[in-house]
Amino acid sequence: MSKTEVSPPAAVCFQTTLAVRVDDLNYGGHLANDAVLKLVHESRLRWLAALGFSETDIGGCGLIMTAAAVQYRAQAFHGDTLRADTGIAELSAAGFTAATLLVRTSDNVAVAAVRCRMAAFDYSAGRVRRLPQAFRERLADLAEQAV
């Protein structure tokens, strides 16, 4: 893998489908780069909700994105349905990396690979903190069970 290549999740622990909407398009008529991060964000919110969490409450604190990398692989257009395949990578004491592959469902073509580094964040104190133990254990379990 080259330094600029963003790898898809090694194992998928969550899937959801997302529609490319008209406001997701750029002046070229295809999926805009900022919309890719918005779609991945929506997918992450759905994943956390399925686990019983939210970005503002993972068991005593919230999450904040500290880094993101996107590799575009194909164009997507208005009306396309994308499947977001998400997996966990690089679990640490204070955070984890969520790796997501956006795949156009009509032809199974990968549109973008995205990696978001997420950290546990205490919004009232304005600082990064350790992942709550129950959330960290849930992520570890998901990573082991993912297919």
Side-chain angles (χ1 to χ4, degrees):
M1 179 169 58
S2 73
K3 285 186 178 186
T4 58
E5 187 173 342
V6 177
S7 59
V12 174
C13 66
F14 181 76
Q15 289 183 322
T16 192
T17 56
L18 305 157
V20 177
R21 303 164 310 165
V22 69
D23 59 340
D24 293 328
L25 306 180
N26 62 19
Y27 56 86
H30 57 91
L31 182 62
N33 58 3
D34 63 318
V36 169
L37 285 177
K38 289 177 187 177
L39 290 170
V40 170
H41 187 192
E42 176 65 28
S43 174
R44 186 171 57 250
L45 290 176
R46 292 178 187 183
W47 169 63
L48 289 167
L51 296 175
F53 298 104
S54 71
E55 282 193 329
T56 57
D57 185 9
I58 58 168
C61 66
L63 288 171
I64 193 166
M65 185 187 311
T66 61
V70 179
Q71 182 180 29
Y72 304 98
R73 298 186 176 185
Q75 293 179 333
F77 300 94
H78 179 255
D80 282 347
T81 299
L82 304 178
R83 186 183 70 242
D85 297 340
T86 300
I88 309 263
E90 304 165 16
L91 184 59
S92 69
F96 63 96
T97 298
T100 302
L101 185 65
L102 296 177
V103 179
R104 190 172 43 239
T105 60
S106 63
D107 56 6
N108 211 36
V109 168
V111 171
V114 183
R115 285 173 104 47
C116 296
R117 184 70 188 157
M118 306 300 296
F121 196 75
D122 181 336
Y123 280 90
S124 62
R127 65 179 176 83
V128 172
R129 58 167 277 191
R130 295 180 73 80
L131 284 172
Q133 188 63 29
F135 185 75
R136 188 178 189 336
E137 288 172 0
R138 184 71 173 115
L139 291 183
D141 289 345
L142 285 173
E144 288 177 13
Q145 296 169 6
V147 289

